[in-house]
Amino acid sequence: MKANGILRSLCADKECLESLTNVYEAFTLLEEIIEKLPAPRLSKKEEPLIDNVANREEIKAALSSQGISDENLVSYAISRQLHGLYPDQPWTGSSCPICGQKPTLILVQEKPELTYVSRETKARCICGHEKDIEPYTCPSCGRQGRGNFEVYVAPGSSVRVYVCKTCGHRFAEIQDTGLGEKELQALHGAIRLLLREVELSSHETG
C-alpha cells in the first residue's frame, strides 16, 4: 500500500485526512530543502551527534532563508543530514545515537520461508536511523510481550498504534511495503501527528 492509501486508512473523516496530508506534504518539501543545506560538521563524535554540530548556526541561517525558523525543525533537518552521513552509527541504548530521541515507528517485513512466514522488525527514529528490535518490544523501556501494550487499530487500516503500559511511550507499526526513503520519512512525520492525537485521547479518557 502506498503512503496516501495508508493515510486514508487512518482517517474516519475529511478533516483528519487533510491534517495528515498537510503534514505529509510538508515533510516531503522539507526533504527537498535538506538536500541543499550545508553539510553539518561535528566538533566531536559523541552521542547524540545532534548536540555536537559545530556549524548549526550556518545551517539554521540556510533554513531561515527558506522560511523555516522553528528550532525543532532545525534539529530535525540537521539530524536527517547526520543520519545520511553516519548511517551505520551504532546504538548503545534506547535513545537514538543521531538525534537522541526514542523510535516511534516499527517496520515489519514478512519473509516467506518453506513452511512458514518469518517476521523481521526494525525500530525507526524520526531522523531515519533504525535498529533491529524483537516483536512486541517497547523501543523506549524495552518491556516485552503483547500484554504490555494498549493497541489502537483504525477499521480497515494496517497501521497499529501501541502505548506501552510500563512507560507510556507511543509508537506505530506498519508493514514495510517497499516505500522509498522520502515517502517513508514523510509518512513517519504524519504518523507522529497521529501519535499525539492518541496521547490527547488517552488523557481525555483516563
Side-chain angles (χ1 to χ4, degrees):
M1 182 181 291
K2 293 297 184 180
N4 56 359
I6 295 174
L7 293 179
R8 282 197 299 271
S9 75
L10 289 171
C11 293
D13 55 59
K14 183 178 179 180
E15 182 180 356
C16 166
L17 181 58
E18 287 181 350
S19 295
L20 294 187
T21 300
N22 287 340
V23 174
Y24 178 88
E25 291 176 349
F27 271 83
T28 300
L29 177 60
L30 187 54
E31 285 293 299
E32 297 177 4
I33 293 173
I34 290 170
E35 292 180 348
K36 302 173 184 178
L37 294 175
R41 299 189 305 272
L42 295 179
S43 57
K44 51 186 176 181
K45 200 174 179 182
E46 292 183 1
E47 300 178 8
L49 301 186
I50 187 67
D51 289 346
N52 301 296
V53 175
N55 61 327
R56 181 185 177 94
E57 291 303 314
E58 178 190 8
I59 300 171
K60 182 177 178 180
L63 285 166
S64 180
S65 70
Q66 298 292 323
I68 300 170
S69 58
D70 182 87
E71 285 293 336
N72 289 328
L73 289 179
V74 172
S75 293
Y76 168 79
I78 296 175
S79 68
R80 285 291 289 154
Q81 290 181 289
L82 290 170
H83 167 63
L85 291 171
Y86 303 97
D88 299 320
Q89 184 72 15
W91 293 69
T92 57
S94 60
S95 296
C96 176
I98 300 292
C99 68
Q101 298 188 46
K102 302 295 178 72
T104 49
L105 187 65
I106 303 296
L107 300 175
V108 179
Q109 186 175 50
E110 295 185 344
K111 294 186 175 182
E113 305 290 347
L114 288 176
T115 58
Y116 65 97
V117 175
S118 65
R119 284 166 51 100
E120 292 185 359
T121 50
K122 290 184 178 293
R124 182 182 176 97
C125 194
I126 189 59
C127 69
H129 214 52
E130 297 178 356
K131 67 173 179 178
D132 294 329
I133 192 171
E134 291 296 320
Y136 303 109
T137 300
C138 176
S140 179
C141 71
R143 284 294 298 272
Q144 293 181 313
R146 295 189 187 190
N148 189 56
F149 302 100
E150 296 177 5
V151 184
Y152 300 79
V153 185
S157 176
S158 61
V159 180
R160 294 174 178 267
V161 174
Y162 293 84
V163 180
C164 179
K165 295 179 181 178
T166 300
C167 70
H169 185 62
R170 297 169 305 284
F171 58 97
E173 178 187 276
I174 65 172
Q175 295 289 324
D176 186 352
T177 55
L179 295 174
E181 173 66 18
K182 293 181 181 179
E183 194 175 16
L184 177 59
Q185 193 62 26
L187 179 62
H188 193 174
I191 287 176
R192 290 258 293 199
L193 174 62
L194 179 69
L195 294 177
R196 286 197 292 270
E197 294 298 321
V198 169
E199 178 186 21
L200 291 173
S201 176
S202 299
H203 287 172
E204 289 171 357
T205 58

PDB file of all heavy atoms in Angstrom, residues 21-37 63 66-68 73 76-77 182-183 185-187:
ATOM      1  N   THR A  21      -2.425  14.752   5.596  1.00  0.00           N
ATOM      2  CA  THR A  21      -1.881  15.013   4.260  1.00  0.00           C
ATOM      3  C   THR A  21      -1.027  16.271   4.256  1.00  0.00           C
ATOM      4  O   THR A  21       0.035  16.321   3.612  1.00  0.00           O
ATOM      5  CB  THR A  21      -3.015  15.141   3.233  1.00  0.00           C
ATOM      6  OG1 THR A  21      -3.765  13.918   3.199  1.00  0.00           O
ATOM      7  CG2 THR A  21      -2.465  15.407   1.838  1.00  0.00           C
ATOM      8  N   ASN A  22      -1.460  17.302   4.966  1.00  0.00           N
ATOM      9  CA  ASN A  22      -0.679  18.545   5.047  1.00  0.00           C
ATOM     10  C   ASN A  22       0.685  18.294   5.684  1.00  0.00           C
ATOM     11  O   ASN A  22       1.704  18.838   5.234  1.00  0.00           O
ATOM     12  CB  ASN A  22      -1.444  19.602   5.839  1.00  0.00           C
ATOM     13  CG  ASN A  22      -2.614  20.179   5.072  1.00  0.00           C
ATOM     14  OD1 ASN A  22      -2.678  20.091   3.839  1.00  0.00           O
ATOM     15  ND2 ASN A  22      -3.565  20.760   5.780  1.00  0.00           N
ATOM     16  N   VAL A  23       0.698  17.493   6.748  1.00  0.00           N
ATOM     17  CA  VAL A  23       1.975  17.165   7.399  1.00  0.00           C
ATOM     18  C   VAL A  23       2.848  16.346   6.452  1.00  0.00           C
ATOM     19  O   VAL A  23       4.060  16.592   6.331  1.00  0.00           O
ATOM     20  CB  VAL A  23       1.729  16.396   8.714  1.00  0.00           C
ATOM     21  CG1 VAL A  23       3.057  15.925   9.310  1.00  0.00           C
ATOM     22  CG2 VAL A  23       0.999  17.278   9.715  1.00  0.00           C
ATOM     23  N   TYR A  24       2.244  15.387   5.784  1.00  0.00           N
ATOM     24  CA  TYR A  24       2.975  14.549   4.830  1.00  0.00           C
ATOM     25  C   TYR A  24       3.624  15.409   3.751  1.00  0.00           C
ATOM     26  O   TYR A  24       4.814  15.247   3.430  1.00  0.00           O
ATOM     27  CB  TYR A  24       2.023  13.530   4.204  1.00  0.00           C
ATOM     28  CG  TYR A  24       2.663  12.642   3.166  1.00  0.00           C
ATOM     29  CD1 TYR A  24       3.293  11.457   3.534  1.00  0.00           C
ATOM     30  CD2 TYR A  24       2.658  12.998   1.821  1.00  0.00           C
ATOM     31  CE1 TYR A  24       3.898  10.652   2.585  1.00  0.00           C
ATOM     32  CE2 TYR A  24       3.267  12.200   0.866  1.00  0.00           C
ATOM     33  CZ  TYR A  24       3.877  11.027   1.251  1.00  0.00           C
ATOM     34  OH  TYR A  24       4.477  10.235   0.305  1.00  0.00           O
ATOM     35  N   GLU A  25       2.875  16.335   3.193  1.00  0.00           N
ATOM     36  CA  GLU A  25       3.402  17.190   2.124  1.00  0.00           C
ATOM     37  C   GLU A  25       4.484  18.136   2.645  1.00  0.00           C
ATOM     38  O   GLU A  25       5.467  18.413   1.942  1.00  0.00           O
ATOM     39  CB  GLU A  25       2.251  17.977   1.495  1.00  0.00           C
ATOM     40  CG  GLU A  25       1.285  17.089   0.707  1.00  0.00           C
ATOM     41  CD  GLU A  25       0.093  17.856   0.169  1.00  0.00           C
ATOM     42  OE1 GLU A  25      -0.093  19.031   0.573  1.00  0.00           O
ATOM     43  OE2 GLU A  25      -0.648  17.292  -0.659  1.00  0.00           O
ATOM     44  N   ALA A  26       4.332  18.614   3.883  1.00  0.00           N
ATOM     45  CA  ALA A  26       5.340  19.495   4.474  1.00  0.00           C
ATOM     46  C   ALA A  26       6.657  18.753   4.664  1.00  0.00           C
ATOM     47  O   ALA A  26       7.742  19.289   4.385  1.00  0.00           O
ATOM     48  CB  ALA A  26       4.844  20.050   5.808  1.00  0.00           C
ATOM     49  N   PHE A  27       6.596  17.508   5.138  1.00  0.00           N
ATOM     50  CA  PHE A  27       7.806  16.715   5.307  1.00  0.00           C
ATOM     51  C   PHE A  27       8.441  16.383   3.959  1.00  0.00           C
ATOM     52  O   PHE A  27       9.669  16.330   3.838  1.00  0.00           O
ATOM     53  CB  PHE A  27       7.496  15.432   6.081  1.00  0.00           C
ATOM     54  CG  PHE A  27       7.618  15.573   7.566  1.00  0.00           C
ATOM     55  CD1 PHE A  27       6.570  16.092   8.318  1.00  0.00           C
ATOM     56  CD2 PHE A  27       8.773  15.199   8.226  1.00  0.00           C
ATOM     57  CE1 PHE A  27       6.677  16.240   9.691  1.00  0.00           C
ATOM     58  CE2 PHE A  27       8.883  15.334   9.607  1.00  0.00           C
ATOM     59  CZ  PHE A  27       7.832  15.863  10.335  1.00  0.00           C
ATOM     60  N   THR A  28       7.609  16.159   2.945  1.00  0.00           N
ATOM     61  CA  THR A  28       8.132  15.890   1.607  1.00  0.00           C
ATOM     62  C   THR A  28       8.912  17.095   1.085  1.00  0.00           C
ATOM     63  O   THR A  28      10.016  16.956   0.538  1.00  0.00           O
ATOM     64  CB  THR A  28       6.974  15.561   0.644  1.00  0.00           C
ATOM     65  OG1 THR A  28       6.272  14.397   1.114  1.00  0.00           O
ATOM     66  CG2 THR A  28       7.511  15.273  -0.761  1.00  0.00           C
ATOM     67  N   LEU A  29       8.357  18.278   1.261  1.00  0.00           N
ATOM     68  CA  LEU A  29       9.037  19.510   0.843  1.00  0.00           C
ATOM     69  C   LEU A  29      10.314  19.725   1.642  1.00  0.00           C
ATOM     70  O   LEU A  29      11.352  20.111   1.088  1.00  0.00           O
ATOM     71  CB  LEU A  29       8.101  20.708   1.014  1.00  0.00           C
ATOM     72  CG  LEU A  29       8.691  22.088   0.692  1.00  0.00           C
ATOM     73  CD1 LEU A  29       9.143  22.146  -0.760  1.00  0.00           C
ATOM     74  CD2 LEU A  29       7.655  23.176   0.976  1.00  0.00           C
ATOM     75  N   LEU A  30      10.253  19.449   2.926  1.00  0.00           N
ATOM     76  CA  LEU A  30      11.420  19.637   3.781  1.00  0.00           C
ATOM     77  C   LEU A  30      12.567  18.730   3.365  1.00  0.00           C
ATOM     78  O   LEU A  30      13.740  19.118   3.411  1.00  0.00           O
ATOM     79  CB  LEU A  30      11.035  19.392   5.241  1.00  0.00           C
ATOM     80  CG  LEU A  30      12.087  19.699   6.308  1.00  0.00           C
ATOM     81  CD1 LEU A  30      12.617  21.121   6.170  1.00  0.00           C
ATOM     82  CD2 LEU A  30      11.486  19.500   7.701  1.00  0.00           C
ATOM     83  N   GLU A  31      12.247  17.518   2.925  1.00  0.00           N
ATOM     84  CA  GLU A  31      13.283  16.601   2.457  1.00  0.00           C
ATOM     85  C   GLU A  31      14.047  17.205   1.282  1.00  0.00           C
ATOM     86  O   GLU A  31      15.262  17.051   1.167  1.00  0.00           O
ATOM     87  CB  GLU A  31      12.663  15.261   2.051  1.00  0.00           C
ATOM     88  CG  GLU A  31      12.240  14.385   3.206  1.00  0.00           C
ATOM     89  CD  GLU A  31      13.426  13.883   4.006  1.00  0.00           C
ATOM     90  OE1 GLU A  31      14.284  13.178   3.446  1.00  0.00           O
ATOM     91  OE2 GLU A  31      13.510  14.217   5.198  1.00  0.00           O
ATOM     92  N   GLU A  32      13.345  17.891   0.398  1.00  0.00           N
ATOM     93  CA  GLU A  32      13.996  18.525  -0.754  1.00  0.00           C
ATOM     94  C   GLU A  32      14.902  19.669  -0.302  1.00  0.00           C
ATOM     95  O   GLU A  32      15.997  19.865  -0.842  1.00  0.00           O
ATOM     96  CB  GLU A  32      12.934  19.036  -1.726  1.00  0.00           C
ATOM     97  CG  GLU A  32      12.074  17.928  -2.333  1.00  0.00           C
ATOM     98  CD  GLU A  32      10.981  18.468  -3.228  1.00  0.00           C
ATOM     99  OE1 GLU A  32      10.943  19.705  -3.426  1.00  0.00           O
ATOM    100  OE2 GLU A  32      10.180  17.667  -3.745  1.00  0.00           O
ATOM    101  N   ILE A  33      14.455  20.424   0.703  1.00  0.00           N
ATOM    102  CA  ILE A  33      15.255  21.534   1.216  1.00  0.00           C
ATOM    103  C   ILE A  33      16.513  21.014   1.908  1.00  0.00           C
ATOM    104  O   ILE A  33      17.611  21.571   1.747  1.00  0.00           O
ATOM    105  CB  ILE A  33      14.412  22.385   2.191  1.00  0.00           C
ATOM    106  CG1 ILE A  33      13.288  23.083   1.436  1.00  0.00           C
ATOM    107  CG2 ILE A  33      15.282  23.405   2.928  1.00  0.00           C
ATOM    108  CD1 ILE A  33      12.303  23.819   2.328  1.00  0.00           C
ATOM    109  N   ILE A  34      16.379  19.933   2.658  1.00  0.00           N
ATOM    110  CA  ILE A  34      17.503  19.367   3.408  1.00  0.00           C
ATOM    111  C   ILE A  34      18.651  18.975   2.478  1.00  0.00           C
ATOM    112  O   ILE A  34      19.830  19.131   2.820  1.00  0.00           O
ATOM    113  CB  ILE A  34      17.032  18.155   4.242  1.00  0.00           C
ATOM    114  CG1 ILE A  34      16.145  18.628   5.399  1.00  0.00           C
ATOM    115  CG2 ILE A  34      18.217  17.342   4.771  1.00  0.00           C
ATOM    116  CD1 ILE A  34      15.443  17.513   6.144  1.00  0.00           C
ATOM    117  N   GLU A  35      18.320  18.487   1.289  1.00  0.00           N
ATOM    118  CA  GLU A  35      19.345  18.057   0.340  1.00  0.00           C
ATOM    119  C   GLU A  35      20.276  19.201  -0.076  1.00  0.00           C
ATOM    120  O   GLU A  35      21.404  18.960  -0.509  1.00  0.00           O
ATOM    121  CB  GLU A  35      18.685  17.460  -0.900  1.00  0.00           C
ATOM    122  CG  GLU A  35      17.976  16.135  -0.655  1.00  0.00           C
ATOM    123  CD  GLU A  35      17.345  15.587  -1.910  1.00  0.00           C
ATOM    124  OE1 GLU A  35      17.260  16.341  -2.914  1.00  0.00           O
ATOM    125  OE2 GLU A  35      16.942  14.410  -1.909  1.00  0.00           O
ATOM    126  N   LYS A  36      19.817  20.441   0.055  1.00  0.00           N
ATOM    127  CA  LYS A  36      20.584  21.597  -0.422  1.00  0.00           C
ATOM    128  C   LYS A  36      21.279  22.358   0.709  1.00  0.00           C
ATOM    129  O   LYS A  36      21.900  23.390   0.467  1.00  0.00           O
ATOM    130  CB  LYS A  36      19.657  22.541  -1.191  1.00  0.00           C
ATOM    131  CG  LYS A  36      18.971  21.875  -2.379  1.00  0.00           C
ATOM    132  CD  LYS A  36      17.936  22.793  -3.003  1.00  0.00           C
ATOM    133  CE  LYS A  36      17.192  22.088  -4.131  1.00  0.00           C
ATOM    134  NZ  LYS A  36      16.140  22.939  -4.729  1.00  0.00           N
ATOM    135  N   LEU A  37      21.165  21.859   1.937  1.00  0.00           N
ATOM    136  CA  LEU A  37      21.754  22.554   3.090  1.00  0.00           C
ATOM    137  C   LEU A  37      23.256  22.314   3.177  1.00  0.00           C
ATOM    138  O   LEU A  37      23.763  21.301   2.694  1.00  0.00           O
ATOM    139  CB  LEU A  37      21.090  22.072   4.384  1.00  0.00           C
ATOM    140  CG  LEU A  37      19.613  22.406   4.572  1.00  0.00           C
ATOM    141  CD1 LEU A  37      19.096  21.734   5.849  1.00  0.00           C
ATOM    142  CD2 LEU A  37      19.387  23.913   4.630  1.00  0.00           C
ATOM    143  N   LEU A  63      18.236  27.473   6.505  1.00  0.00           N
ATOM    144  CA  LEU A  63      16.827  27.107   6.652  1.00  0.00           C
ATOM    145  C   LEU A  63      15.954  28.346   6.791  1.00  0.00           C
ATOM    146  O   LEU A  63      14.850  28.409   6.245  1.00  0.00           O
ATOM    147  CB  LEU A  63      16.646  26.193   7.871  1.00  0.00           C
ATOM    148  CG  LEU A  63      17.120  24.751   7.695  1.00  0.00           C
ATOM    149  CD1 LEU A  63      17.203  24.049   9.046  1.00  0.00           C
ATOM    150  CD2 LEU A  63      16.179  23.998   6.765  1.00  0.00           C
ATOM    151  N   GLN A  66      14.730  29.846   3.784  1.00  0.00           N
ATOM    152  CA  GLN A  66      13.640  29.096   3.165  1.00  0.00           C
ATOM    153  C   GLN A  66      12.343  29.228   3.962  1.00  0.00           C
ATOM    154  O   GLN A  66      11.370  28.520   3.700  1.00  0.00           O
ATOM    155  CB  GLN A  66      14.021  27.623   3.055  1.00  0.00           C
ATOM    156  CG  GLN A  66      15.236  27.347   2.187  1.00  0.00           C
ATOM    157  CD  GLN A  66      14.971  27.639   0.728  1.00  0.00           C
ATOM    158  OE1 GLN A  66      13.885  27.400   0.214  1.00  0.00           O
ATOM    159  NE2 GLN A  66      15.974  28.163   0.039  1.00  0.00           N
ATOM    160  N   GLY A  67      12.350  30.117   4.961  1.00  0.00           N
ATOM    161  CA  GLY A  67      11.148  30.345   5.761  1.00  0.00           C
ATOM    162  C   GLY A  67      10.982  29.387   6.920  1.00  0.00           C
ATOM    163  O   GLY A  67       9.895  29.288   7.492  1.00  0.00           O
ATOM    164  N   ILE A  68      12.060  28.678   7.279  1.00  0.00           N
ATOM    165  CA  ILE A  68      11.999  27.707   8.372  1.00  0.00           C
ATOM    166  C   ILE A  68      12.869  28.186   9.517  1.00  0.00           C
ATOM    167  O   ILE A  68      14.102  28.271   9.379  1.00  0.00           O
ATOM    168  CB  ILE A  68      12.481  26.317   7.901  1.00  0.00           C
ATOM    169  CG1 ILE A  68      11.596  25.820   6.763  1.00  0.00           C
ATOM    170  CG2 ILE A  68      12.484  25.327   9.057  1.00  0.00           C
ATOM    171  CD1 ILE A  68      12.132  24.582   6.083  1.00  0.00           C
ATOM    172  N   LEU A  73      12.299  22.039  13.958  1.00  0.00           N
ATOM    173  CA  LEU A  73      12.508  21.697  12.548  1.00  0.00           C
ATOM    174  C   LEU A  73      13.977  21.826  12.161  1.00  0.00           C
ATOM    175  O   LEU A  73      14.476  21.054  11.332  1.00  0.00           O
ATOM    176  CB  LEU A  73      11.642  22.593  11.659  1.00  0.00           C
ATOM    177  CG  LEU A  73      10.141  22.337  11.703  1.00  0.00           C
ATOM    178  CD1 LEU A  73       9.404  23.309  10.796  1.00  0.00           C
ATOM    179  CD2 LEU A  73       9.814  20.891  11.311  1.00  0.00           C
ATOM    180  N   TYR A  76      15.513  18.739  13.436  1.00  0.00           N
ATOM    181  CA  TYR A  76      15.086  17.624  12.582  1.00  0.00           C
ATOM    182  C   TYR A  76      15.908  17.587  11.297  1.00  0.00           C
ATOM    183  O   TYR A  76      16.419  16.531  10.898  1.00  0.00           O
ATOM    184  CB  TYR A  76      13.605  17.746  12.251  1.00  0.00           C
ATOM    185  CG  TYR A  76      13.156  16.809  11.163  1.00  0.00           C
ATOM    186  CD1 TYR A  76      12.914  15.465  11.432  1.00  0.00           C
ATOM    187  CD2 TYR A  76      13.015  17.253   9.845  1.00  0.00           C
ATOM    188  CE1 TYR A  76      12.530  14.588  10.421  1.00  0.00           C
ATOM    189  CE2 TYR A  76      12.634  16.384   8.835  1.00  0.00           C
ATOM    190  CZ  TYR A  76      12.389  15.065   9.126  1.00  0.00           C
ATOM    191  OH  TYR A  76      12.022  14.191   8.123  1.00  0.00           O
ATOM    192  N   ALA A  77      16.034  18.749  10.649  1.00  0.00           N
ATOM    193  CA  ALA A  77      16.771  18.816   9.386  1.00  0.00           C
ATOM    194  C   ALA A  77      18.221  18.386   9.565  1.00  0.00           C
ATOM    195  O   ALA A  77      18.755  17.608   8.761  1.00  0.00           O
ATOM    196  CB  ALA A  77      16.700  20.235   8.824  1.00  0.00           C
ATOM    197  N   LYS A 182      12.174   8.881   1.102  1.00  0.00           N
ATOM    198  CA  LYS A 182      11.485  10.153   1.295  1.00  0.00           C
ATOM    199  C   LYS A 182      10.010   9.942   1.602  1.00  0.00           C
ATOM    200  O   LYS A 182       9.428  10.630   2.449  1.00  0.00           O
ATOM    201  CB  LYS A 182      11.643  11.039   0.059  1.00  0.00           C
ATOM    202  CG  LYS A 182      13.062  11.519  -0.180  1.00  0.00           C
ATOM    203  CD  LYS A 182      13.135  12.415  -1.403  1.00  0.00           C
ATOM    204  CE  LYS A 182      14.560  12.884  -1.658  1.00  0.00           C
ATOM    205  NZ  LYS A 182      14.645  13.737  -2.862  1.00  0.00           N
ATOM    206  N   GLU A 183       9.390   8.990   0.927  1.00  0.00           N
ATOM    207  CA  GLU A 183       7.978   8.695   1.158  1.00  0.00           C
ATOM    208  C   GLU A 183       7.773   8.146   2.565  1.00  0.00           C
ATOM    209  O   GLU A 183       6.842   8.541   3.275  1.00  0.00           O
ATOM    210  CB  GLU A 183       7.492   7.687   0.109  1.00  0.00           C
ATOM    211  CG  GLU A 183       5.979   7.555   0.031  1.00  0.00           C
ATOM    212  CD  GLU A 183       5.535   6.652  -1.097  1.00  0.00           C
ATOM    213  OE1 GLU A 183       6.368   5.881  -1.628  1.00  0.00           O
ATOM    214  OE2 GLU A 183       4.352   6.692  -1.455  1.00  0.00           O
ATOM    215  N   GLN A 185       9.720   8.654   5.128  1.00  0.00           N
ATOM    216  CA  GLN A 185      10.009   9.707   6.094  1.00  0.00           C
ATOM    217  C   GLN A 185       8.820  10.646   6.271  1.00  0.00           C
ATOM    218  O   GLN A 185       8.472  11.039   7.379  1.00  0.00           O
ATOM    219  CB  GLN A 185      11.246  10.491   5.661  1.00  0.00           C
ATOM    220  CG  GLN A 185      11.817  11.391   6.729  1.00  0.00           C
ATOM    221  CD  GLN A 185      12.287  10.632   7.954  1.00  0.00           C
ATOM    222  OE1 GLN A 185      12.632   9.463   7.862  1.00  0.00           O
ATOM    223  NE2 GLN A 185      12.278  11.279   9.101  1.00  0.00           N
ATOM    224  N   ALA A 186       8.194  11.023   5.156  1.00  0.00           N
ATOM    225  CA  ALA A 186       7.019  11.900   5.217  1.00  0.00           C
ATOM    226  C   ALA A 186       5.849  11.196   5.906  1.00  0.00           C
ATOM    227  O   ALA A 186       5.107  11.809   6.683  1.00  0.00           O
ATOM    228  CB  ALA A 186       6.622  12.339   3.813  1.00  0.00           C
ATOM    229  N   LEU A 187       5.698   9.907   5.643  1.00  0.00           N
ATOM    230  CA  LEU A 187       4.651   9.132   6.306  1.00  0.00           C
ATOM    231  C   LEU A 187       4.900   9.077   7.804  1.00  0.00           C
ATOM    232  O   LEU A 187       3.967   9.218   8.611  1.00  0.00           O
ATOM    233  CB  LEU A 187       4.609   7.716   5.723  1.00  0.00           C
ATOM    234  CG  LEU A 187       3.581   6.768   6.337  1.00  0.00           C
ATOM    235  CD1 LEU A 187       2.164   7.280   6.127  1.00  0.00           C
ATOM    236  CD2 LEU A 187       3.735   5.368   5.736  1.00  0.00           C
TER     237      LEU A 187
END
